[in-house]
Amino acid sequence: MKNLLCNFDISIYTHFIFDVDGTLIESDFSEREIFQSTIIDFFGVAPNVDFGLYRDLTYAGIVSEIAVEHGFSQAETEACYSELGRRLSVNANRVQWRPAAYAEKLVKAASNAGDVFYLSGNFFDVTARKLETIGVIFSPVQIISVDLKKPSKSLHVSELVDKVGVDVVGWVFLGDSEYDKLSARSAGVSFMWSQNLALSRWAL
C-alpha cells in the first residue's frame, strides 16, 4: 500500500507506532475542559489552554510540570492525576469518538504488514475506548499509555523499540505533533505526519 502524495510505502516497514489523539481519533475538547477543571480543583490554578507550551505533551507530564511550578508535593500530584484519570474514564464512556477518515483502513493495512502499537499520553482505559471506535482488536501490550512515573513519549518509544529488539529501519511512528516527531527521532525510527495521511489517497 502506498501513499501516492507522500510516497509512503507501507510495505517497507514491519513495526508501526500510532499516536492516538489527533492521528487516529479526532481530538475532543471535552477532555481539555475536564483537564482544566481538575487542575483548578486540586491546584487552584488555571492551566494553559495551549498544551504546546508545556515541555511534555502528555497528561502525566503536564500535571507534573504544573505541580512542580506551584510547589505541590508528589502525593498531591498523584492525587490530582488519579482523579483526572477517573474523570476522563467517565467521560470516555459518554463521548462519541470520531475516527480520522483514513484510520480503519490504515490500521488494517499496517496490521497486515507487521506489528502495530498505539502510543498515548492519555490513560489506558480511555485509549482503549477510543480504539474500539475504529474496530481495533488489540492486546494490552499493544497500548503504551504514558504514566506519571515516566511522563515522556520519547522514553516510551525508545523502550518499546529496545524491548522488541528489531532493527529501527523497520519502524515508523505516525503522529500529529512536533513532539511526536522528536519522540520518533530520539528512538531512531522513521516518522510520518498524520496531516499528510489525511490528504493522501491510499492504493490498497
Side-chain angles (χ1 to χ4, degrees):
M1 183 168 100
K2 183 175 291 186
N3 173 313
L4 301 179
L5 295 183
C6 302
N7 196 31
F8 177 57
D9 187 352
I10 203 170
S11 66
I12 67 175
Y13 299 106
T14 57
H15 291 73
F16 303 83
I17 305 172
F18 287 100
D19 173 62
V20 177
D21 295 296
T23 298
L24 294 179
I25 304 296
E26 294 182 12
S27 298
D28 182 90
F29 290 106
S30 65
E31 284 200 344
R32 292 206 175 193
E33 292 172 357
I34 290 170
F35 175 79
Q36 289 176 307
S37 65
T38 305
I39 294 296
I40 291 172
D41 290 346
F42 275 78
F43 297 154
V45 295
N48 201 303
V49 294
D50 183 359
F51 280 15
L53 296 178
Y54 293 101
R55 289 191 296 271
D56 194 323
L57 296 182
T58 65
Y59 283 132
I62 297 174
V63 169
S64 295
E65 190 173 331
I66 294 172
V68 169
E69 179 183 354
H70 295 279
F72 288 93
S73 68
Q74 182 65 23
E76 291 170 316
T77 304
E78 291 177 357
C80 176
Y81 187 65
S82 177
E83 175 60 14
L84 174 61
R86 188 194 68 78
R87 294 183 186 184
L88 288 176
S89 180
V90 170
N91 182 64
N93 293 320
R94 292 196 305 245
V95 174
Q96 295 295 315
W97 303 107
R98 293 173 300 186
Y102 55 80
E104 282 191 65
K105 187 179 293 186
L106 178 56
V107 167
K108 182 178 179 181
S111 298
N112 289 334
D115 293 330
V116 176
F117 300 90
Y118 306 95
L119 182 64
S120 175
N122 211 317
F123 294 80
F124 179 90
D125 59 330
V126 177
T127 300
R129 177 70 183 85
K130 291 178 179 181
L131 290 175
E132 289 172 2
T133 67
I134 57 174
V136 170
I137 300 174
F138 56 88
S139 65
V141 297
Q142 288 180 283
I143 299 181
I144 301 91
S145 290
V146 182
D147 58 38
L148 190 60
K149 294 179 181 177
K150 297 180 180 179
S152 168
K153 282 187 180 180
S154 297
L155 180 60
H156 283 257
V157 171
S158 297
E159 288 184 342
L160 173 62
V161 173
D162 290 343
K163 182 177 181 180
V164 175
V166 177
D167 192 297
V168 293
V169 173
W171 289 81
V172 61
F173 184 178
L174 300 99
D176 70 324
S177 71
E178 282 292 340
Y179 188 74
D180 289 339
K181 184 178 179 180
L182 290 173
S183 297
R185 292 281 175 82
S186 69
V189 307
S190 299
F191 180 76
M192 181 70 182
W193 285 100
S194 64
Q195 292 92 325
N196 290 341
L197 299 174
L199 294 172
S200 303
R201 293 183 297 121
W202 294 85
L204 299 178

